[in-house]
Amino acid sequence: MHGEDRRAAVAAYKERKVESGIYAVRCGPSDRMWVGSAPDLSTIQNRLWFTLRQGSNSHRSLQEAWASYGGEAFTFEVVARLVDGDYPGYTRTTALKSLHAHWVEKLNGIRI
């Protein structure tokens, strides 16, 4: 990648709309669900799957289920989104925490 192309790619990345939100990880065979929040939904599944494949996920029950059933037993879905411009700074963080608690209760999931 040449200098101009690289600068254009970096600029485009910085200008993209970031969506924060709530996601759910489901394990079909065990019928368990884990609910998490992420400041950037576009990157969270890749991060989760990577740590689970490496055996280094910090959520013990999720890591144990992954080890027992394998990655093919899991699905990932976004359940709620916050568009970055709607909640600036501190307000967005507070809204995300509140939304996370709501979805953990609503889905009867395990908080991650």
Side-chain angles (χ1 to χ4, degrees):
M1 186 176 277
H2 293 86
E4 287 181 34
D5 293 340
R6 181 169 164 43
R7 281 191 288 275
V10 168
Y13 179 80
K14 287 181 179 180
E15 292 176 10
R16 71 185 171 88
K17 284 257 189 206
V18 175
E19 288 186 319
S20 302
I22 309 303
Y23 62 89
V25 176
R26 298 174 193 263
C27 177
S30 71
D31 202 32
R32 293 173 77 187
M33 183 181 316
W34 294 263
V35 181
S37 65
D40 186 353
L41 288 171
S42 69
T43 62
I44 192 65
Q45 182 180 6
N46 189 44
R47 185 179 334 148
L48 272 174
W49 266 222
F50 178 79
T51 60
L52 289 165
R53 284 191 306 267
Q54 298 301 312
S56 62
N57 191 279
S58 61
H59 304 288
R60 178 175 280 168
S61 64
L62 178 56
Q63 185 67 62
E64 288 172 353
W66 184 276
S68 296
Y69 299 106
E72 61 280 349
F74 289 81
T75 59
F76 177 92
E77 67 180 276
V78 173
V79 294
R81 297 176 191 272
L82 293 177
V83 178
D84 195 36
D86 293 346
Y87 299 92
Y90 177 76
T91 308
R92 184 182 64 143
T93 303
T94 303
L96 193 58
K97 285 181 182 179
S98 176
L99 196 59
H100 186 201
H102 166 77
W103 280 99
V104 167
E105 184 177 328
K106 183 174 182 170
L107 297 174
N108 194 27
I110 300 166
R111 183 183 194 104
I112 59 172

